[in-house]
Amino acid sequence: MQNKEKNLFLNLCSFKHNNQHELELLLQQGAATPCVLGYIFSNRMPAVAYGVLKNHHLLTYLDREFKNSLKNAYLQNIQKNESFFKSLYWLSDLLQTHKGKYAFLKGAWLCQWYPKGYRTSNDVDILVAANDVTDIGITLSKAGFKQGYLKNENFVPATRAEIIASKMLRGETVPYIKQVDLPFMKYFEVDINFSLDYKTSDPNTVSELLYRAVEVQNAKAPIVTLDRYDFLIHLCSHLYKEATTYPWVEMHRDMTLYKFCDLYALLSEFEEQDYFSLFKRAEEMDMQNICYFALYMTKELFDIHSEPLARCLKYMCTDPKILDLVINPSEKKRYSYQEKNIKNRFFSEDRKSLLKEV
């Protein structure tokens, strides 16, 4: 991938700050190649790219296939989100009897917070205290959900062994899935999380997060989600888990850009006091290094020039080596990235080859 292609891709994803003149120059240089289009789609960013180009009146520089691919993805996202929100509000009503014992995570709130159609979600994640997982699972089962997986767009029931293993090893349940047959959403999937990573978290940490949860207006109806800083810290934790776990590197899903874009977009609304509050909250949760990892990576990928963020990162970091560490929990092995440049690492076609066992 040429530098002009990389620059165009990252500029099209940086919807909160980008240079129209630079974008126009890159398009004039022929940077809008099939490779760039592939990166946009594989990182779940077509609607964002379409919005940036449309807002800057630059769509005329694209060939028909490139432009229509982005436009159709954007329109599909809007329809998909209508189905998603309909299912989400129904689920929120279903869980009213468990109020105070759960909070919606990630896409449940982000899909409506982003500009229309920019963000979609394939499922709903819920944070639940470990001792409430069974009761909420019963409520979902009575409503027609079944535990299992989607394979080749078909539902496959989970075995008892899979259900037990997921709880013991992954800090989450096997997904609860219900066939809803809505536009762009044949199945509605709910993931119950009772841990912040692939291990079982301290139950007091999850309970505190739920105690601090807030009710926010979500498009048409209120939903319960995490406090502003807890929400961002959870995103950092989720990103860190996937970016530093070997199987995710093998699947090429460790650095999908939309996850970094979530942080980039939220940080764009932060003021200096917010960074101080975020640092203090991360310190209380003993998650400074995890937040440092996620925020530093985001800063590098999106070229965020913010002195408050730089100071926050300086105080958060107690172990700079965390940026390079990858672990394989099942084999109890540790690896270190030999490529230290974050953008070079992101654009590598085989990040696994950049790892060395330590």
Side-chain angles (χ1 to χ4, degrees):
M1 198 173 188
Q2 298 180 25
N3 284 334
K4 65 180 181 181
E5 294 172 300
K6 296 176 183 178
N7 290 337
L8 177 61
F9 167 73
L10 291 173
N11 267 282
L12 290 177
C13 297
S14 303
F15 72 99
K16 287 289 186 177
H17 75 286
N18 44 57
N19 185 311
Q20 181 172 352
H21 176 71
E22 183 180 358
L23 276 170
E24 189 169 5
L25 184 61
L26 288 167
L27 292 169
Q28 290 173 343
Q29 293 173 347
T33 64
C35 185
V36 172
L37 186 61
Y39 261 81
I40 289 171
F41 272 86
S42 63
N43 285 278
R44 289 176 58 178
M45 301 297 289
V48 173
Y50 178 76
V52 169
L53 290 163
K54 184 178 181 182
N55 292 338
H56 286 309
H57 308 288
L58 296 173
L59 289 169
T60 55
Y61 285 97
L62 301 177
D63 63 52
R64 184 177 62 183
E65 285 70 25
F66 199 118
K67 178 172 62 179
N68 286 344
S69 295
L70 297 184
K71 180 181 179 179
N72 290 338
Y74 167 72
L75 294 175
Q76 178 178 311
N77 280 6
I78 292 175
Q79 293 184 57
K80 181 178 180 180
N81 274 348
E82 289 176 357
S83 297
F84 179 78
F85 292 140
K86 181 177 182 178
S87 299
L88 175 65
Y89 303 145
W90 171 79
L91 177 63
S92 182
D93 287 340
L94 179 69
L95 296 178
Q96 281 299 307
T97 55
H98 302 283
K99 200 165 185 178
K101 297 181 179 180
Y102 75 92
F104 288 114
L105 304 171
K106 302 189 301 179
W109 182 71
L110 287 170
C111 286
Q112 63 83 32
W113 178 81
Y114 269 91
K116 190 174 183 179
Y118 276 27
R119 176 67 153 81
T120 62
S121 182
N122 294 321
D123 52 34
V124 170
D125 286 273
I126 307 175
L127 184 66
V128 175
N131 57 0
D132 291 317
V133 169
T134 299
D135 287 345
I136 290 180
I138 291 172
T139 296
L140 294 177
S141 297
K142 288 181 178 178
F145 285 88
K146 298 178 181 179
Q147 285 188 274
Y149 303 95
L150 296 178
K151 297 181 180 179
N152 297 318
E153 299 184 4
N154 292 309
F155 175 75
V156 178
T159 64
R160 179 169 175 78
E162 288 173 330
I163 292 173
I164 294 173
S166 184
K167 279 189 174 183
M168 296 293 292
L169 302 176
R170 298 177 57 193
E172 61 185 20
T173 64
V174 168
Y176 285 83
I177 297 173
K178 178 181 174 68
Q179 186 167 339
V180 291
D181 292 320
L182 294 171
F184 299 104
M185 183 184 284
K186 180 178 180 180
Y187 294 98
F188 183 40
E189 180 175 333
V190 176
D191 291 334
I192 298 179
N193 301 261
F194 52 91
S195 175
L196 300 183
D197 56 22
Y198 60 85
K199 304 182 293 293
T200 301
S201 295
D202 181 348
N204 292 328
T205 301
V206 174
S207 295
E208 185 183 1
L209 289 172
L210 295 175
Y211 177 77
R212 290 165 50 91
V214 295
E215 189 172 75
V216 296
Q217 190 68 27
N218 186 22
K220 296 181 181 178
I223 65 165
V224 177
T225 189
L226 298 181
D227 159 87
R228 183 186 190 192
Y229 305 112
D230 291 350
F231 188 91
L232 193 141
I233 290 171
H234 173 264
L235 286 180
C236 288
S237 175
H238 188 78
L239 186 154
Y240 173 79
K241 176 181 72 172
E242 295 181 350
T244 63
T245 306
Y246 192 79
W248 286 83
V249 179
E250 286 187 305
M251 293 185 292
H252 307 287
R253 295 176 61 192
D254 54 311
M255 291 185 73
T256 313
L257 196 71
Y258 82 93
K259 292 177 282 192
F260 295 93
C261 189
D262 289 344
L263 295 175
Y264 154 75
L266 292 171
L267 291 176
S268 70
E269 298 195 345
F270 266 39
E271 298 180 355
E272 187 160 1
Q273 179 60 39
D274 292 310
Y275 284 107
F276 177 76
S277 299
L278 177 66
F279 168 74
K280 295 300 293 182
R281 184 65 182 129
E283 188 177 44
E284 290 171 4
M285 298 174 66
D286 194 24
M287 295 183 69
Q288 304 98 303
N289 280 323
I290 287 175
C291 289
Y292 169 75
F293 173 94
L295 298 181
Y296 180 86
M297 294 279 193
T298 302
K299 178 183 78 71
E300 292 296 296
L301 289 170
F302 283 90
D303 286 327
I304 302 175
H305 301 287
S306 164
E307 186 58 33
L309 173 58
R311 283 197 297 270
C312 182
L313 289 171
K314 179 181 177 181
Y315 291 118
M316 272 184 173
C317 178
T318 62
D319 182 13
K321 293 181 180 179
I322 196 172
L323 293 173
D324 305 320
L325 184 65
V326 171
I327 61 173
N328 190 336
S330 63
E331 296 184 6
K332 298 182 179 179
K333 292 182 178 180
R334 295 159 62 91
Y335 301 86
S336 178
Y337 272 109
Q338 303 305 290
E339 174 58 70
K340 308 303 179 183
N341 183 284
I342 305 306
K343 285 185 181 177
N344 290 345
R345 192 184 297 179
F346 173 81
F347 284 109
S348 171
E349 294 183 4
D350 182 15
R351 281 190 286 275
K352 191 171 69 169
S353 69
L354 306 178
L355 294 172
K356 180 180 180 181
E357 188 176 349
V358 295

